[in-house]
Amino acid sequence: MEPSGGKTSWSSLAAAALVGASVVAISAYWLHRRAVEQLFERAMDAQSLDGGSPHHKKQHPSVKARQRRRSVSSNGTVRSSCCSLADAPSCGNEFEIIRSSQTYDLERDVKIDKSQSMTAFAALSSIPQGLPTLKTCREGSSQSVLYAVTTKRATPMGNSLIRPSTPKSPIGSVGAFESLEVSEEEDEVLNTEGNINDNDEYADADEGGSSRARHAKEANISTSAYPGTTDRENGHVDQNQKGGSIMIKSHSIPGELHGIHTPDPVAADILRKEPEQETFVRLQVTPIEAPSEEEEEVCILMQECLALREKYVYRERVHPWDKEEIIDPSTPKPNPDPFQYEPEVASKHVCRMEDGVIHVYPDGEAKEELFPVADATMFFTDMHRILRIISLGNVRTLTHHRLRLLEQKFSLHLMLNADREFLAQKSAPHRDFYNVRKVDTHVHHSSCMNQKHLLRFIKSKLRKEPDELVIFRDGKYLTLREVFESLDLTGYDLNVDLLDVHADKNTFHRFDKFNLKYNPCGQSRLREIFLKQDNLIQGRFLAELTKEVFSDLAASKYQMAEYRISVYGRKQSEWDQLSSWIVNNELYSENVVWLIQLPRLYNVYKDMGIVTSFQTMLENVFIPLFEVTVDPGSHPQLHVFLKQVVGFDMVDDESKPERRPTKHMQTPAQWQISFNPAYSYWAYYVYANLYTLNKLRESKGMNTIKFRPHSAHGNNLRKSPSLQYLYYLAQIGLSMSPLSNNSLFLDYHRNPFPMFFARGLNVSLSTDDPLQIHLTKEPLVEEYSIAAQVWKLSSCDLCEIARNSVYQSGFSHSLKSHWVGSKYYKRGPLGNDIHKTNVPHMRVEFRHEVWREELDYVYLGASKISEEIDF
């Protein structure tokens, strides 16, 4: 029940609240008015102190009070002549004019006395002589923010809102500014009057910039911005700065290298107008003293290592861009008939294998070989020399310090230029991470599909072709239905979990268990049926599955792959079987090239009695390649297939401990024991035969094949700073698969990829085994996505990694020109096209400048760097 007098109590409370709200509103109004009047007085004082005309000199307080007094019209309406009204033009340098979405219909509420309003307007619109005026935009203009950058005075506008400007943010402030252009449309609104002079705000910024420059000079670290740099200390001003300058900034969370960006819309608009003119802050580190004797000694040793590497690197005599001139810059037309065979005349070359290496002679009677290659003794001697150098204490110490310095330089670059990189990316129309070209530079063909795709394909075949004879086991042929009945399975029973091809915690440091994951449902017979090309159905199921993967890549358009397919070296006919499978099933895609992988399984085949010595295995691998090169008609399908092959790989478990080979090792013909040769032993003989093969193929105008071996995904490189530093100096490509390593050898958070990337190594992301690792239809995007989330990579970082993958790949010159830029083979920003890579020029130029500085340091100021990249 309501208490007595309840209504009266509520009425009293409501009245009290109304009175209180009225008092607060009136107080707020007078406080606002007082603040505006103080700002007005400050502006008038500044005008008088600047020595303007007598009309603008400081007036008596009573006069100023009268001027600020409200003017009352004849009918009693009131108009306040303070500078917070919407029709006031400007109040000096301490204000900025922004376009307001609100409109004020003053005629509706206020009747203005013209004489009084014009007097107030003249008082408010007066600008001290020598100060830059404010530039305003027309009504309906698309610009939202205008800065005091011109000498032209704005006319009064009834749709402008004046507000005090906030102090400059210290984030991203440097001693250089970008110029702001004035459009012709704005010139129509602005009146020409006077010349611009430096105001107090610029003078304060100049003083602060000079102070920072002095401190940087003492620390031998300097920053600069190009183009449009103002050298105020020396009294020189860049001619690119016309009418003033402006710092283009966006805001980020302090302490974050890649913060959440909220860029200034005008800055973004400016960059859209001129996307090629990127200004960024350069970091220059100058050593205080000359290198010490110990540093010079280490640098000389690094030079020796680089020279030894250069001794063995195969490079074509004529670069691809010199052979083929790109006339049409549009999308390269697909090959209408990639499997067409054109007969070629056989040459008279004679090939003979001697000590594991095939030697080429011009004819049968010649005694001098055409393409000599370094022998095994020299190779292992040089290898041991490099191993000794990189293990020296002083070398490890200095290279570690240089790598740390590279990492810190990149961190400083991001702190100074991350926002500019973000704005530059926004200036590139159409491009973003999703539609820049990305190449999966390391993926095995037999696991190129994801587990759901494989499951769906198996169910489809079991439903559509159950009576197809697919395997010969236990003395009889079995149909697909009989195979599954022998396993006590039906199509309905199958699911991803039962398929059991996905790596889990049980595969960590167990390479043998990881390889068993290639067997669907744990059955090797299912692997033979669906994931092998040399089976009873001649690999038809795998070919159809491969075409579906090709179709997915073609649909994505911007994802490419380099599929690694195996040649085991058990017999020479393997090459003909593989090439006939490719050609007969017409396995071709503009998004795919092939690499050949050689499993290092000599000990297995020796125990099985398939090979008698290591040289027998080398003959099975390389003799067919030399035969088809000399006479394409001897293996026509292999000749066609080799046009799509771009690389040669070696695969196995690189974590196994093994004895380091010496120059006194047995020759391959003498290696008849059951032990597998060491990795470097394999590497030399594969390299030597490929070197000779490429020389022969190049002499006949054929494509060459790069040697791109497995090397523990680069993970062990983190343990050797000296070797890591050499990889950086030589810019050797590293294809890394963090998700695959997370299932096998190295936890994801310990993966060195982000460290390698920050230091400037040439790294890219790859999937390795989508069947065992990934869950989505686009495994490469999944790899990038997880890396971006875990390591906080920005869009610029992802696009740079994607750009690296194109450079590392073996795709043709015409495709790289279309994907990266017509001058992609040039070093530095000259080889970058942001409209195709979405990588800002400032990022590419930073990487290039730091790399050049490091080479100059190693070569003691005498480095010789070509303008073109050495592929």
Side-chain angles (χ1 to χ4, degrees):
M1 186 165 182
E2 185 179 333
S4 177
K7 293 183 178 180
T8 305
S9 301
W10 286 110
S11 300
S12 302
L13 290 174
L18 181 61
V19 172
S22 301
V23 172
V24 171
I26 294 172
S27 301
Y29 167 74
W30 284 106
L31 288 174
H32 170 70
R33 179 180 174 184
R34 180 180 178 85
V36 172
E37 288 178 350
Q38 289 178 353
L39 289 173
F40 177 78
E41 292 175 6
R42 190 179 305 169
M44 297 298 295
D45 292 342
Q47 292 174 2
S48 300
L49 291 175
D50 278 346
S53 62
H55 177 72
H56 292 143
K57 289 185 179 179
K58 187 173 182 181
Q59 298 174 338
H60 193 273
S62 62
V63 178
K64 292 192 290 184
R66 286 195 300 273
Q67 290 181 350
R68 293 194 304 268
R69 191 172 301 152
R70 290 178 299 170
S71 58
V72 183
S73 63
S74 59
N75 59 359
T77 57
V78 179
R79 174 186 173 101
S80 175
S81 59
C82 67
C83 63
S84 62
L85 292 178
D87 60 347
S90 62
C91 287
N93 189 42
E94 299 179 3
F95 299 90
E96 65 177 0
I97 300 178
I98 68 171
R99 181 185 174 207
S100 173
S101 61
Q102 304 173 356
T103 58
Y104 295 86
D105 191 356
L106 298 178
E107 295 293 333
R108 181 183 59 190
D109 300 328
V110 184
K111 294 182 178 179
I112 306 175
D113 182 81
K114 291 186 177 180
S115 61
Q116 293 176 347
S117 62
M118 290 301 293
T119 303
F121 174 78
L124 290 173
S125 63
S126 60
I127 298 177
Q129 183 177 3
L131 289 180
T133 61
L134 295 173
K135 183 176 65 173
T136 62
C137 62
R138 318 183 152 176
E139 184 175 356
S141 175
S142 61
Q143 284 188 319
S144 59
V145 183
L146 298 173
Y147 297 86
V149 295
T150 179
T151 63
K152 301 176 182 179
R153 186 166 299 172
T155 59
M157 297 180 359
N159 196 26
S160 299
L161 179 65
I162 299 179
R163 68 178 183 187
S165 61
T166 57
K168 285 189 175 181
S169 171
I171 301 175
S173 59
V174 293
F177 303 84
E178 293 190 8
S179 61
L180 175 66
E181 293 185 354
V182 181
S183 65
E184 295 179 359
E185 183 180 357
E186 293 164 352
D187 286 340
E188 297 175 1
V189 182
L190 303 177
N191 296 323
T192 59
E193 187 174 311
N195 296 322
I196 188 170
N197 293 323
D198 289 342
N199 56 25
D200 294 338
E201 183 181 356
Y202 288 163
D204 293 340
D206 188 26
E207 182 179 355
S210 300
S211 176
R212 287 192 299 272
R214 287 194 297 269
H215 289 298
K217 186 176 182 181
E218 293 173 0
N220 291 280
I221 299 176
S222 61
T223 59
S224 57
Y226 304 96
T229 303
T230 302
D231 190 357
R232 296 183 179 271
E233 292 184 3
N234 297 328
H236 300 292
V237 179
D238 197 321
Q239 295 299 323
N240 292 330
Q241 292 182 311
K242 297 180 180 180
S245 56
I246 176 173
M247 171 67 70
I248 296 181
K249 298 183 290 187
S250 63
H251 306 287
S252 60
I253 301 174
E256 289 287 344
L257 295 183
H258 302 295
I260 301 175
H261 305 283
T262 56
D264 189 335
V266 172
D269 182 67
I270 293 171
L271 284 176
R272 289 190 189 98
K273 292 178 181 177
E274 298 181 358
E276 300 298 333
Q277 297 181 2
E278 295 180 4
T279 301
F280 71 104
V281 182
R282 287 174 168 84
L283 181 70
Q284 298 176 352
V285 181
T286 306
I288 299 177
E289 300 175 352
S292 63
E293 293 183 2
E294 183 178 4
E295 288 179 330
E296 290 186 0
E297 179 185 353
V298 173
C299 290
I300 292 174
L301 292 175
M302 291 291 100
Q303 296 176 32
E304 181 182 352
C305 291
L306 292 173
L308 287 175
R309 174 185 181 271
E310 191 67 23
K311 175 181 175 182
Y312 291 92
V313 173
Y314 169 78
R315 290 193 175 90
E316 298 181 11
R317 292 195 302 268
V318 182
H319 295 297
W321 47 89
D322 294 328
K323 296 179 184 176
E324 178 184 1
E325 183 180 358
I326 306 299
I327 301 176
D328 186 5
S330 60
T331 304
K333 297 180 181 179
N335 189 346
D337 190 4
F339 300 106
Q340 180 181 2
Y341 170 71
E342 296 181 357
E344 298 183 19
V345 180
S347 61
K348 297 181 180 181
H349 294 95
V350 175
C351 304
R352 290 191 293 267
M353 177 166 282
E354 302 172 5
D355 294 332
V357 179
I358 295 181
H359 298 266
V360 179
Y361 300 90
D363 51 52
E365 298 179 356
K367 300 298 183 181
E368 185 177 355
E369 61 178 318
L370 290 176
F371 313 113
V373 63
D375 59 19
T377 300
M378 180 181 297
F379 178 86
F380 292 125
T381 300
D382 292 340
M383 183 189 74
H384 283 283
R385 174 59 180 165
I386 293 178
L387 292 175
R388 280 194 296 269
I389 290 175
I390 64 175
S391 63
L392 295 176
N394 57 344
V395 174
R396 292 173 63 89
T397 299
L398 181 61
T399 54
H400 174 71
H401 289 167
R402 301 303 299 183
L403 289 171
R404 289 293 302 275
L405 179 60
L406 291 172
E407 196 171 352
Q408 295 304 318
K409 283 183 178 180
F410 183 66
S411 297
L412 288 171
H413 170 78
L414 292 182
M415 285 189 285
L416 294 170
N417 298 295
D419 292 340
R420 289 179 174 82
E421 291 180 341
F422 181 69
L423 290 176
Q425 284 189 303
K426 294 179 70 175
S427 73
H430 175 64
R431 290 298 171 198
D432 53 38
F433 165 72
Y434 292 97
N435 56 20
V436 297
R437 264 69 180 192
K438 300 169 284 291
V439 181
D440 195 345
T441 49
H442 175 200
V443 53
H444 301 283
H445 169 254
S446 56
S447 62
C448 63
M449 71 297 296
N450 62 69
Q451 54 183 341
K452 185 64 177 178
H453 190 174
L454 177 61
L455 176 65
R456 188 168 58 247
F457 182 83
I458 293 175
K459 284 187 173 184
S460 172
K461 290 302 176 183
L462 191 57
R463 183 177 63 256
K464 297 177 180 178
E465 304 180 34
D467 299 324
E468 178 77 15
L469 292 175
V470 293
I471 196 171
F472 181 81
R473 281 290 175 94
D474 301 327
K476 62 178 181 179
Y477 293 96
L478 299 176
T479 64
L480 189 59
R481 179 189 289 112
E482 290 173 342
V483 170
F484 276 89
E485 287 177 352
S486 67
L487 300 176
D488 195 20
L489 292 173
T490 64
Y492 182 78
D493 296 329
L494 292 176
N495 56 40
V496 166
D497 298 326
L498 184 61
L499 205 62
D500 193 26
V501 293
H502 210 258
D504 52 27
K505 61 182 180 181
N506 295 322
T507 61
F508 196 72
H509 284 291
R510 289 297 302 271
F511 198 78
D512 55 339
K513 289 188 175 182
F514 184 84
N515 283 333
L516 292 177
K517 291 294 182 178
Y518 281 94
N519 299 326
C521 302
Q523 300 295 321
S524 61
R525 64 182 68 182
L526 293 182
R527 179 181 183 180
E528 181 180 344
I529 294 170
F530 291 100
L531 300 178
K532 292 285 187 178
Q533 76 266 11
D534 53 343
N535 52 21
L536 185 64
I537 57 176
Q538 298 181 350
R540 181 170 63 86
F541 284 174
L542 181 59
E544 294 177 4
L545 190 57
T546 301
K547 286 185 177 180
E548 292 181 4
V549 176
F550 285 2
S551 178
D552 292 340
L553 285 176
S556 68
K557 183 179 179 180
Y558 298 100
Q559 297 180 45
M560 286 70 190
E562 295 182 315
Y563 289 132
R564 285 164 160 81
I565 193 165
S566 296
V567 170
Y568 297 93
R570 294 170 297 190
K571 51 188 177 180
Q572 295 186 17
S573 60
E574 286 181 0
W575 283 105
D576 291 325
Q577 292 176 354
L578 175 60
S579 57
S580 64
W581 178 73
I582 295 285
V583 174
N584 293 336
N585 290 285
E586 297 184 347
L587 297 180
Y588 176 81
S589 172
E590 293 290 333
N591 297 56
V592 174
V593 291
W594 298 96
L595 276 84
I596 303 300
Q597 63 181 21
L598 177 63
R600 294 187 291 116
L601 300 175
Y602 163 77
N603 56 329
V604 176
Y605 303 145
K606 174 64 178 175
D607 292 338
M608 295 174 63
I610 297 177
V611 296
T612 57
S613 65
F614 187 67
Q615 179 158 315
T616 304
M617 195 170 182
L618 292 174
E619 289 174 349
N620 294 338
V621 172
F622 289 104
I623 284 182
L625 297 179
F626 280 90
E627 289 177 351
V628 72
T629 302
V630 172
D631 181 12
S634 61
H635 307 271
Q637 291 180 323
L638 179 58
H639 174 68
V640 172
F641 170 58
L642 287 180
K643 294 179 180 179
Q644 304 177 30
V645 176
V646 299
F648 208 94
D649 186 11
M650 298 188 312
V651 294
D652 196 20
D653 182 6
E654 291 91 14
S655 65
K656 293 179 181 178
E658 56 187 19
R659 183 181 176 185
R660 185 180 301 170
T662 65
K663 59 183 179 180
H664 304 295
M665 297 285 287
Q666 294 175 325
T667 63
Q670 297 170 344
W671 195 285
Q672 300 179 3
I673 56 178
S674 298
F675 293 100
N676 205 25
Y679 178 91
S680 53
Y681 191 90
W682 277 84
Y684 168 72
Y685 287 102
V686 171
Y687 154 77
N689 284 287
L690 270 183
Y691 182 92
T692 307
L693 177 66
N694 284 331
K695 286 289 186 180
L696 177 61
R697 292 182 66 84
E698 185 184 12
S699 67
K700 300 193 65 176
M702 301 179 181
N703 65 298
T704 57
I705 302 172
K706 303 289 185 181
F707 184 35
R708 293 165 55 183
H710 265 61
S711 54
H713 296 261
N715 292 327
N716 292 335
L717 199 61
R718 74 188 193 279
K719 302 176 182 178
S720 176
S722 306
L723 193 58
Q724 186 184 146
Y725 189 60
L726 288 171
Y727 265 67
Y728 168 75
L729 294 175
Q731 285 294 292
I732 300 174
L734 282 174
S735 179
M736 305 185 69
S737 307
L739 285 178
S740 174
N741 299 147
N742 185 63
S743 299
L744 269 171
F745 302 114
L746 193 65
D747 290 338
Y748 200 93
H749 69 278
R750 295 181 56 202
N751 195 284
F753 179 87
M755 179 181 66
F756 289 171
F757 175 73
R759 292 176 176 179
L761 274 74
N762 183 8
V763 292
S764 65
L765 287 171
S766 57
T767 58
D768 193 11
D769 296 287
L771 179 63
Q772 283 81 14
I773 306 300
H774 299 83
L775 300 174
T776 64
K777 189 178 180 179
E778 296 183 334
L780 185 59
V781 173
E782 183 180 345
E783 193 83 38
Y784 276 85
S785 174
I786 295 175
Q789 295 296 325
V790 175
W791 294 321
K792 295 181 175 59
L793 301 177
S794 68
S795 173
C796 182
D797 298 335
L798 296 178
C799 292
E800 182 185 1
I801 296 168
R803 180 177 181 266
N804 289 345
S805 71
V806 176
Y807 275 92
Q808 294 177 11
S809 71
F811 282 91
S812 65
H813 165 63
S814 59
L815 288 175
K816 287 185 178 181
S817 298
H818 179 63
W819 295 345
V820 181
S822 59
K823 302 294 184 182
Y824 74 95
Y825 49 87
K826 296 288 187 180
R827 295 191 184 275
L830 293 177
N832 182 59
D833 186 352
I834 188 175
H835 298 286
K836 294 185 177 182
T837 64
N838 202 37
V839 180
H841 295 315
M842 64 185 76
R843 172 65 68 89
V844 179
E845 189 166 357
F846 164 77
R847 295 289 196 190
H848 179 63
E849 288 181 351
V850 173
W851 177 73
R852 288 181 65 99
E853 291 171 1
E854 212 61 32
L855 278 182
D856 285 338
Y857 172 80
V858 169
Y859 283 92
L860 304 175
S863 62
K864 297 180 180 179
I865 303 174
S866 63
E867 295 181 357
E868 298 176 347
I869 298 176
D870 297 324
F871 287 99

